[in-house]
């Protein structure tokens, strides 16, 4: 591609056409040739005359320059100009475009897709087969999906980053399974993943490798920690280049259920630091609402950390059935429960009614027997709504009748009377150890200490449901812990005391672990694989590559050991174990992209590997802009040529302009030659005469009502425009005529709207009016009252018309007959509506001896023009138009109204044609044509 600075050309050979521009300049300057000068005395007679069509003897230089620029723009436009042309990559053979495709790519994902599109365009230009592969979603071993470059463009939308990083071992095995060689363009995320060197070596064995990286590094977020009453977060970055500030947002649902940012914190990186920590002190209620933390403005699953029960401290209420025995703390029923729960739960104290109002997550009864009926009903409703009631046995429960004959609703099983004692002085057996927990138990997988024994317990009555409700038992099979589902909650009974009176269980770590499995407390540390051994966890919410939390859908459950290994960092996350929230029996565990010990390190490439950025210089095609500029230049050339030739304006406009110029010259001459006593009135009369006689002008009588005069003027303007468009008559702008001061002989037609309040003309004015009517003028009297009354004295306008017309020399009148010439001067009409439709339109009566001639459709009335036309249809309102050409008043309704307006315009055309041509259409010569149009 040929380039001149930042502009290149796809068809540079066409630029050679620019060489002919100087020759074209000379040709245009030579045509037309210069005129030959000859002296002829008679030419003096032509001085002062102006030709309508003028032509210069030589094209002006500026017009030539404009034409040269237009031709040059056309040549340059077809040469294919391009701004910032891209350099095409040369190459042959198969091409692999590999991208890491992990969460670290998400931040610059649009830029990576744009870079791939550019690489595909380069490959398409050289017909190279291409395969686009994400290292987090590898094809089957031995398969490399080579396609034409154009076939990959619609497929790019289906490629998205994953929430897990690429696995180098799997990528190396896949590359080594390929037989053919290829060149590789590797779009790296810039992080030093384990095994990156082996992947690079495998790719270099297949062909050259070029790496593309973004200069912007991703940020990461370690899992949240809750320590010493503070929420602690650690933000990671790969490079320690300069000081940096990041913002961490805490998201959760507000009391209305809307997810929003509940808290924020600024994190400051020191210049040489790759880690920065921030601590938040949040109220328990707000902390319990938080579902995730994320780094503001950073896309990617690694910049998001989900929260689970490790952050949320549960509220647990403790209620004892008896007071401390003589103040001995170790004998208190609640002592060991408080020690086990205080580090990880918020303990609630008070009476049972007050505690139920606080709605804790769990309520623990230590040797509580029966309850009042009202409290029992409230407690039952709380459990069924999802609460956990944890009960411990004791002397009071053993001695009571609770759940003996019938199972109590707040007890998981029926109890035997008296309880059981083993291993004491009065017993025959040894203390009992615990049996390993079954797979159906929430305690499954917990290690059993050898020193945990039971010396006393309350015994469960054997019932059909007993086996399903036992979740822990002694070595001899007697139940130790039983559970019953109750609505959305559950009731759990430890058949031993909460202190060390009946067993050594409260003295062991197993006691705390069992409480954690029952979701009584918040687990302060990440569980290890051993603790999760033998459990199955169901994914509820998962993260996508951009860090968006999505529903897990139908993803299968995962083994607790695998989940524990991923939490410990000894097993990688991937498509089978995705970052997200996993639900167990009564607990949620968050598996995040980055572990508690994770670090981000930048990748270091060998010197032999070329590394480029992701930035793409988008080329911009300028062909359309340049050709548009050429069209604009040609349009300007046409306008300039018309202007130079005097043909830029319409004939009517030129006529008006010439009239104005002539009027100006005449007025100037009068001012110079008139004596000092000449009046301004005479000058106005001369100007009116000039304007009225140069072209056909329609006029209306000034009534003294400004609004009525405005409508009359607008109506005549609309009629003049219609005459200009449809006939050979080209009227000028209408004029207003004052009967007292203006001469009427210049106007062939006067429109006189009748106003009841207008003054009666003087005797001099009536003399002018009678002279005007006798010399061939026509007056259209319009009372504008056809909508409220017929023609006559029934309305104020009709009575005013009689007053105005009494001094006039008006011949006898009659309604327009069907054969009157007004019905056919231009259009064939039978009705004469205006804004109102009425048949009462009066004209001069025909002679009494006028008869129809045989063979003619009308009488021979070829003896003059009716001097007056009288009606009340308000024709000016129907004709009136605004300055923009829109109708000033509505006529009728819908299409019928517009049809009525059209007939009103046609009546006006017939009226003016009748004024100017007389009874011309009554001549015998027009009979055949009229009969043909009438269908006769």
């Amino acid at each position: 591609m040929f380039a001149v600075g930042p502009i290149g050309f796809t068809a540079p050979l066409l630029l050679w056409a620019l060489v002919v521009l100087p020759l074209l300049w000379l040709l245009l300057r030579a045509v037309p040739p210069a005129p030959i000068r000859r002296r002829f005395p008679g030419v003096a007679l032509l001085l002062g005359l102006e030709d309508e069509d003028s032509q210069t003897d030589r094209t002006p230089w500026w017009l030539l320059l404009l034409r040269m620029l237009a031709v040059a723009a056309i040549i340059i436009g077809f040469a294919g100009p391009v701004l910032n042309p891209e350099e095409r990559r040369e190459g042959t053979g198969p091409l692999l475009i590999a991208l890491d495709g992990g969460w670290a790519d998400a931040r610059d994902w649009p830029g990576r897709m744009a870079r791939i599109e550019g690489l595909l365009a380069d490959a398409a230009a050289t017909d190279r087969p291409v395969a686009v592969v994400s290292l987090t979603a590898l094809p089957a071993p031995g398969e490399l999906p080579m396609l034409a470059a154009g076939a990959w463009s619609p497929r790019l939308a289906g490629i998205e980053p994953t929430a897990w990083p690429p696995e180098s071992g799997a990528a190396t095995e896949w590359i080594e399974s390929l037989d053919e060689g290829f060149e590789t363009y590797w779009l790296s995320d810039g992080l030093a993943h384990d095994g990156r060197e082996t992947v690079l070596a495998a790719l270099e064995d297949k062909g050259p490798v070029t790496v593309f990286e973004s200069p912007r590094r991703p940020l990461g977020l370690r899992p949240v920690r809750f320590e010493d009453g503070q929420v602690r977060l650690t933000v990671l970055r790969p490079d320690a280049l300069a000081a940096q500030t990041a913002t961490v947002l805490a998201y959760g649902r507000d009391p209305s259920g809307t997810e929003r940012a509940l808290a924020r914190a600024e994190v400051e990186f020191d210049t040489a630091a790759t880690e920065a920590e921030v601590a938040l002190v949040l109220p328990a209620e707000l902390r319990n609402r938080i579902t995730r933390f994320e780094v503001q403005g950073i896309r990617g699953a690694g910049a998001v950390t989900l929260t689970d029960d490790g952050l949320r401290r549960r509220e647990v209420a403790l209620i004892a059935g008896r007071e401390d025995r003589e103040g001995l703390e170790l004998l208190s029923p609640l002592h060991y429960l408080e020690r086990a729960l205080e580090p990880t739960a918020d303990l609630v104290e008070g009476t049972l009614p007050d505690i139920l109002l606080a709605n804790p997550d769990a309520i623990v009864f230590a040797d509580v027997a029966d309850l009042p009926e009202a409290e029992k009903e409230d407690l039952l409703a709380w459990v069924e709504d999802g609460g956990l009631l944890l009960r411990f046995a004791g002397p009071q429960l053993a001695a009571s009748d609770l759940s003996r004959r019938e199972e109590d609703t707040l007890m998981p099983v029926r109890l035997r009377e008296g309880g059981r004692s083993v291993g004491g002085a009065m017993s025959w057996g040894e203390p009992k150890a615990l049996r390993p927990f079954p797979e159906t138990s929430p305690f499954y997988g917990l290690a059993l200490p050898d020193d945990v024994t039971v010396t006393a317990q309350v015994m469960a009555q054997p019932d059909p449901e007993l086996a399903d409700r036992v979740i822990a038992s002694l070595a001899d099979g007697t139940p130790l812990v039983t559970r019953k589902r109750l609505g959305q909650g559950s009731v759990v009974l430890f058949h031993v005391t909460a202190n060390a009176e009946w067993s050594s269980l409260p003295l062991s770590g197993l006691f705390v672990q069992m409480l954690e499995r029952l979701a009584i407390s918040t687990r302060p540390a990440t569980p290890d694989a051993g603790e999760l051994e033998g459990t199955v966890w169901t994914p509820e919410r998962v993260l996508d590559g951009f860090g968006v939390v999505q529903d897990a859908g139908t993803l299968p459950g995962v083994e607790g050991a695998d989940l524990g290994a991923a939490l410990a960092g000894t097993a990688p996350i991937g498509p089978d174990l995705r970052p997200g929230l996993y639900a167990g029996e009564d607990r949620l565990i968050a598996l995040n992209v980055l572990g508690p010990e994770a670090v981000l390190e930048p990748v270091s490439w060998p010197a032999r590997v070329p590394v480029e950025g992701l930035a793409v210089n988008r080329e911009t095609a300028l062909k359309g802009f340049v050709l548009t500029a050429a069209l604009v230049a040609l349009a300007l050339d046409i306008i300039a040529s018309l202007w130079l030739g005097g043909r830029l304006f319409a004939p009517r406009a030129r006529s008006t302009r010439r009239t104005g110029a002539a009027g100006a010259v005449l007025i100037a001459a009068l001012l110079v030659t008139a004596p000092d006593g000449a009046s301004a009135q005479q000058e106005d009369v001369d100007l009116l005469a000039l304007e009225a006689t140069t072209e056909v002008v329609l006029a209306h009588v000034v009534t003294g009502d400004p609004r009525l005069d405005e409508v009359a003027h607008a109506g005549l303007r609309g009629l003049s425009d219609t005459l200009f468009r449809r006939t050979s008559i080209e009227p000028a702008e209408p004029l207003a005529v004052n009967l007292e001061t203006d001469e009427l002989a210049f106007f062939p037609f006067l429109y006189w709207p009748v106003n009841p309040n207008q003054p009666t003309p003087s005797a001099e004015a009536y003399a002018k009016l009678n002279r005007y009517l006798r010399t061939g003028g026509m007056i259209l009297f319009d009372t504008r009252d056809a909508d409220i009354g017929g023609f006559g004295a029934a309305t104020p306008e009709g009575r005013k018309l009689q007053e105005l017309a009494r001094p006039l020399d008006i011949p006898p009148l009659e309604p327009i007959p069907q054969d009157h010439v007004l019905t056919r001067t231009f259009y064939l009409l039978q009705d004469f509506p205006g804004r109102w439709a009425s048949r009462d339109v009066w004209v001069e009566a025909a002679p009494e001896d006028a008869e129809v001639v045989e063979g003619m459709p009308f009488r021979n009335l070829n003896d003059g023009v009716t001097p007056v036309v009288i009606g009340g249809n308000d024709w000016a309102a129907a004709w009136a138009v605004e300055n923009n050409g829109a109708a000033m008043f509505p006529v009728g309704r819908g299409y019928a109204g517009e049809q009525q307006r059209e007939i009103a315009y046609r009546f006006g055309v017939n009226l003016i044609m009748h004024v100017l041509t007389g009874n011309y259409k009554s001549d015998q010569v027009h009979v055949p044509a009229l009969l043909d149009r009438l269908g006769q």
Side-chain angles (χ1 to χ4, degrees), residues 88-307:
R88 300 297 181 187
R89 294 178 176 272
E90 303 296 335
T92 58
L95 173 64
L96 170 63
I97 300 178
L99 63 158
D100 284 336
W103 64 269
D105 283 346
R107 181 176 186 180
D108 298 301
W109 192 253
R112 295 177 188 278
M113 291 296 102
R115 193 47 159 154
I116 292 177
E117 290 176 355
L119 297 176
L120 290 175
D122 295 342
T126 55
D127 295 327
R128 301 182 69 180
V130 182
V132 180
V133 174
S134 173
L135 297 184
T136 57
L138 296 169
E143 293 185 5
L144 185 61
M146 284 291 177
L147 300 173
W152 279 106
S153 297
R155 300 172 182 237
L156 292 181
I159 302 177
E160 291 186 349
T162 62
W164 53 90
E167 187 178 353
S168 300
T172 303
E173 293 178 3
W174 173 75
I175 296 170
E176 292 176 348
S177 68
L178 303 176
D179 298 330
E180 58 181 316
F182 47 81
E183 184 180 1
T184 302
Y185 293 156
W186 189 354
L187 278 73
S188 169
D189 59 15
L191 298 181
H193 301 293
D194 294 336
R196 178 78 79 174
E197 297 80 5
T198 59
V199 177
L200 177 61
L203 289 174
E204 287 182 325
D205 289 341
K206 302 296 182 180
V209 176
T210 302
V211 174
F212 298 87
E213 274 187 4
S214 171
R216 299 196 308 168
R217 302 295 190 187
L219 297 181
L221 196 60
R222 285 178 182 166
V224 62
R225 309 187 314 275
F226 185 73
E227 298 175 354
D228 301 328
Q230 294 179 331
V231 177
R232 295 185 176 274
L233 295 159
T234 302
V235 184
L236 307 176
R237 64 174 180 175
D239 300 311
L241 301 178
Q244 184 179 357
T245 301
T247 301
V248 178
L249 300 179
Y251 282 92
R253 297 191 180 276
D254 61 15
S256 66
T258 303
E259 186 177 66
R260 56 187 295 267
L262 301 179
R264 62 186 298 139
E266 300 291 333
V267 182
E268 299 286 344
F269 283 95
D270 295 334
T271 303
T274 58
E275 298 181 9
E277 186 173 290
V278 63
L280 295 172
V281 179
L282 302 174
E285 181 181 357
L286 181 62
R287 188 176 66 247
N288 291 342
R289 292 183 180 274
I290 295 175
T291 58
R292 74 180 188 276
F293 292 90
E294 63 179 50
V295 182
Q296 185 180 25
I298 305 298
R299 301 176 72 192
V304 177
T305 181
L306 303 176
T307 63

Side-chain angles (χ1 to χ4, degrees), residues 50 52 122 133 169 279 290 320 370 404 605 657-658 830-831 912 933:
E50 181 182 355
E52 291 186 359
D122 295 342
V133 174
I290 295 175
D370 208 353
R404 298 296 185 187
W605 298 101
R657 186 177 59 186
R658 290 198 305 272
Q830 294 300 323
D831 296 314
I912 303 304
R933 292 182 62 188

